[in-house]
Every structure is written in structure tokens, then in C-alpha cells.
Amino acid sequence: MAYDDNNVFAKILRGDIPAKKVYEDDFALAFHDIGAKAPVHVLVIPKGKYVSIADFGATASEKEIAGFYRAVSKVANDLGLVKEGFRSIANTGINGGQEVPHFHVHLLGGKKIGPMVSD
């Protein structure tokens, strides 16, 4: 799948759509999910044009990968999620429930998170 420059996260990165940002650096942007599923529900997206975690792992530079995952860890720590625990999710493709074709990680916490997968 080719990257779509008009996906909602690309528009957020360009500043075309506002987002409630919690963190930004050279590699990543983190912001609150507008459809929060937990008291804390933040999305962390890389600044590069990557469709999925598979695309990111296969084509991003080592510097981008390290910088992105350091940002994910920093956001989880800064939001106080590490002590009590949290869930990180990267949905991929149609069967994985990916809704936006830009790689992103959901960080959910602030309460006990339910079952991993429900029917």
C-alpha cells in the first residue's frame, strides 16, 4: 500500500488539522486520541511517511526507529503510565483494525485495561 499524503495524521503533522499535543521531537508527535478508550489514550506517530509498523520496521532508518521508540517510552513515562502499567497497540492492516494508513502506536492507561481481544 502506498502512503497517502492526505490521511488525517499527515494533515495533523502538517498542521492542517489541530491536535492536542503532548510531545513532539524530530522523530515523533504524540497527541490525545479524540475517541479515547481509556482515561489516558495517546497516539504516537513517526514524522516519516510510513503506512504500518511493518513498513516502518522495513524501511525506516535505525536513527528514526530508535528515536520513535524512545519518544514512545518518554511519553508513557511523562504521562505517569509506567508505574501502574499501560497497553501499547499498533494495529496493522484491515484485519488488524488499522483505521489510518500512517503507522501509529496507541498508549492506553489510567485504569485497568480489559481483555486483549474480544469477540
Side-chain angles (χ1 to χ4, degrees), residues 42-107:
V42 170
L43 301 171
V44 186
I45 64 174
K47 291 209 170 165
K49 297 179 179 185
Y50 302 103
V51 174
S52 67
I53 193 171
D55 180 26
F56 185 69
T59 60
S61 70
E62 290 182 22
K63 187 175 180 180
E64 288 174 297
I65 293 169
F68 176 76
Y69 282 106
R70 285 193 181 105
V72 170
S73 295
K74 178 170 180 29
V75 169
N77 190 55
D78 289 354
L79 293 175
L81 300 176
V82 175
K83 182 178 178 186
E84 297 296 323
F86 64 98
R87 180 166 296 156
S88 58
I89 302 169
N91 299 322
T92 303
I94 293 169
N95 286 347
Q98 185 176 4
E99 295 177 9
V100 178
H102 183 112
F103 169 48
H104 56 286
V105 171
H106 295 257
L107 298 179

Side-chain angles (χ1 to χ4, degrees), residues 9 20 22 31-43 79 81 87 89 99 104-111 113:
F9 294 166
K20 188 175 174 189
V22 296
F31 52 93
H32 290 278
D33 191 312
I34 61 170
K37 305 295 186 204
V40 177
H41 186 169
V42 170
L43 301 171
L79 293 175
L81 300 176
R87 180 166 296 156
I89 302 169
E99 295 177 9
H104 56 286
V105 171
H106 295 257
L107 298 179
L108 298 108
K111 71 172 189 172
I113 306 298

Side-chain angles (χ1 to χ4, degrees), residues 13 23-30 45 47 66-68 70-72 74:
L13 282 169
Y23 179 78
E24 185 172 14
D25 66 14
D26 291 342
F27 302 103
L29 172 65
I45 64 174
K47 291 209 170 165
F68 176 76
R70 285 193 181 105
V72 170
K74 178 170 180 29

